[in-house]
Amino acid sequence: MSTSEENPPLGTMTPRRRPKPDVKEIGGRKLKPSTLMMGHGFDPKLSEGSLKAPIFLTSTFAFESAAAGKRHFEGITGKRPGGAEGLVYSRFNNPNQEIVEDRLSVWEESEDALVFSSGMSAIATTMLALASQNDVIVHSGPLYAATETMVAKILAKFGITFLDFPATASNEEVKELLGRAKKIADDKGSKVAVVYLESPANPTNALVDIEGVSKARDEVFGTGDDMPPVAIDNTFLGPLWQRPLDHGADIVIYSLTKYVGGHSDLVAGAALGEKRWLDPIRAMRNTIGTISDPNTAWMLLRSLETVELRMARAGENAEKVCTFLKGHPKVERVGYLGFIEDPSQKDIYDRHCLGAGSTFSLFVKGGEEESFRFLDNLKLAKLAVSLGGTETLASHPAAMTHISVSDERKKALGITDNLVRISIGVEDPDDLIADFEQALDAV
Ligand code: PLP
């Protein structure tokens, strides 16, 4: 028998950092992330000279001594600051996951990184770690539908409430909302747990002013203990086309299932940022077991070697395809970041984005019938949800990913019946244009 008082507190755990033989600089030249993806964080000498990291298919690790095992567990449970110094158990750490985390950190230049079993488990674990009973969450809208469900339905079970603002809200409106959230939390004796953003938003591609939100957060909360972190889902543009930590975000979240995994053959997620923000998230991950498995982590290592190549090619393709679609008589509008007209969205794009990405909204002239006809006539692009893979995908958010969103909210967020979401892959761009042309002709 034990009581909750006797149980050890959720600890902060730093996985053992393996020796890093990496050359990170040559002749004063700092090596680029794309170069470091080939070897960073892995020493072949520790694995029989194997060029590639083996898959460490083990659930547990043998300790060198009982005293070492004790020290590691003191680190895991937080009894001793500094975290575990060695490999313990694959729900906490494993070489494959650690190498992925090291390599993800390179792209964002983040102090720390955590890898998860899915984008949603990264999001859920982060929110569960940051929010306590009766706290308030502030978020931009729209969010990926399951993230909205997590906030509005699952966290609601613990008395956690939310206030949301449209991605396009002005900085004054965001500041006013944050002030309101703080007052609600103060009145309840709770706190604002996190300011959670998704930019570009799925599926509208609306951009949030990360810098503006972060500044508003500082103005409302100062830098005291109750300052909520700004977390952002960077799935649509990261790691190549947007670096939110440079613009005031504290935690960057990914569905690695998308561009980083990049081959539509794995499901994974990540959270990146300073240790002070990630330590409680790691402790929650250790407890609820939302780390990715070694096999998936190994596949992510394979994917990271080509992430720049794939994203660069997909981005070039998308520009060509969107230029074609824009001029087509059956197309009402193309919601592509490269074509932003709204001055405040363009201003955010210019300050935050390093590329327009390859996922966009195509508004077909008509409604659901015309959109379905277009989708059903595609020969090359696959009719499937998800994005960021080597192959081009097309889907209908209102009838698919966002079907659970109420009609009223869909309308408010611009998720219309004529919106088709397209993620461009790395195929030949003229082949893709030929496919879209014949599918539009059939509408
Ligand atoms: N965030 C965004 C923006 C997404 O588009 C998705 C999935 O489509 C997720 C999070 C969830 O990721 P996963 O499917 O890896 O759990």
Side-chain angles (χ1 to χ4, degrees), residues 1-15:
M1 284 268 286
S2 69
T3 65
S4 55
E5 282 80 39
E6 286 162 5
N7 280 333
L10 288 181
T12 58
M13 176 181 165
T14 312

Side-chain angles (χ1 to χ4, degrees), residues 388-423:
T390 45
E391 64 289 291
T392 295
L393 301 182
S395 64
H396 191 275
M400 296 170 194
T401 43
H402 289 68
I403 195 163
S404 56
V405 177
S406 72
D407 287 346
E408 197 187 354
R409 186 153 170 80
K410 270 189 216 152
K411 198 167 165 214
L413 297 172
I415 304 171
T416 54
D417 282 340
N418 69 338
L419 190 169
V420 171
R421 192 185 68 181
I422 297 176
S423 164

Side-chain angles (χ1 to χ4, degrees), residues 99-390:
I99 302 166
V100 172
E101 289 168 352
D102 286 348
R103 292 191 189 172
L104 286 172
S105 292
V106 165
W107 285 99
E108 306 274 343
E109 294 182 271
S110 67
E111 187 184 7
D112 205 356
L114 296 169
V115 69
F116 292 89
S117 57
S118 69
M120 275 321 299
S121 70
I123 293 164
T125 308
T126 300
M127 288 183 173
L128 286 171
L130 296 174
S132 303
Q133 198 174 7
N134 296 329
D135 278 356
V136 181
I137 287 178
V138 177
H139 73 79
S140 63
L143 298 176
Y144 176 61
T147 311
E148 294 216 351
T149 303
M150 178 71 204
V151 175
K153 303 222 170 101
I154 298 176
L155 294 178
K157 292 188 198 174
F158 307 105
I160 295 164
T161 52
F162 71 90
L163 292 180
D164 65 340
F165 61 91
T168 50
S170 70
N171 292 337
E172 280 64 42
E173 285 165 331
V174 173
K175 192 173 162 190
E176 188 274 324
L177 193 82
L178 286 172
R180 204 145 33 99
K182 184 173 182 331
K183 169 128 193 11
I184 293 171
D186 286 347
D187 290 348
K188 287 203 284 183
S190 63
K191 67 178 189 306
V192 176
V194 59
V195 181
Y196 188 89
L197 316 176
E198 186 174 299
S199 181
N202 183 351
T204 57
N205 258 359
L207 294 171
V208 182
D209 187 344
I210 309 164
E211 209 177 335
V213 170
S214 159
K215 216 165 132 229
R217 183 273 313 265
D218 292 349
E219 283 166 13
V220 173
F221 293 90
T223 49
D225 282 348
D226 69 341
M227 182 188 84
V230 173
I232 175 169
D233 185 329
N234 197 34
T235 297
F236 270 40
L237 288 184
L240 223 61
W241 298 311
Q242 182 168 259
R243 291 164 50 93
L245 297 179
D246 291 349
H247 304 290
D250 302 299
I251 302 170
V252 180
I253 304 258
Y254 279 101
S255 166
L256 301 175
T257 313
K258 309 296 181 323
Y259 286 98
V260 176
H263 298 71
S264 306
D265 57 5
L266 63 85
V267 174
L272 295 92
E274 284 180 19
K275 284 180 82 51
R276 70 169 170 141
W277 296 118
L278 294 203
D279 275 347
I281 304 172
R282 174 184 285 110
M284 180 60 73
R285 186 187 71 171
N286 286 349
T287 302
I288 65 176
T290 43
I291 195 169
S292 76
D293 64 279
N295 198 63
T296 302
W298 186 93
M299 287 173 71
L300 284 166
L301 293 176
R302 175 273 329 244
S303 295
L304 279 166
E305 293 185 2
T306 56
V307 69
E308 187 182 66
L309 276 178
R310 287 182 283 103
M311 290 182 80
R313 166 72 178 228
E316 283 163 25
N317 279 359
E319 189 179 353
K320 288 179 187 157
V321 168
C322 287
T323 303
F324 161 77
L325 290 171
K326 197 182 175 188
H328 197 282
K330 301 244 173 96
V331 170
E332 184 184 290
R333 187 162 66 83
V334 182
Y336 168 61
L337 291 177
F339 297 157
I340 298 178
E341 281 169 11
D342 177 83
S344 66
Q345 286 280 293
K346 178 81 171 74
D347 172 51
I348 301 173
Y349 179 79
D350 290 342
R351 281 185 290 118
H352 288 359
C353 303
L354 303 163
S358 83
T359 302
F360 58 91
S361 317
L362 171 68
F363 295 87
V364 179
K365 275 188 187 158
E368 186 184 271
E369 194 186 329
E370 288 76 8
S371 304
F372 278 18
R373 195 166 304 214
F374 169 73
L375 288 167
D376 288 338
N377 278 285
L378 290 169
K379 291 193 163 92
L380 185 58
K382 297 283 185 297
L383 176 48
V385 298
S386 203
L387 58 114
T390 45

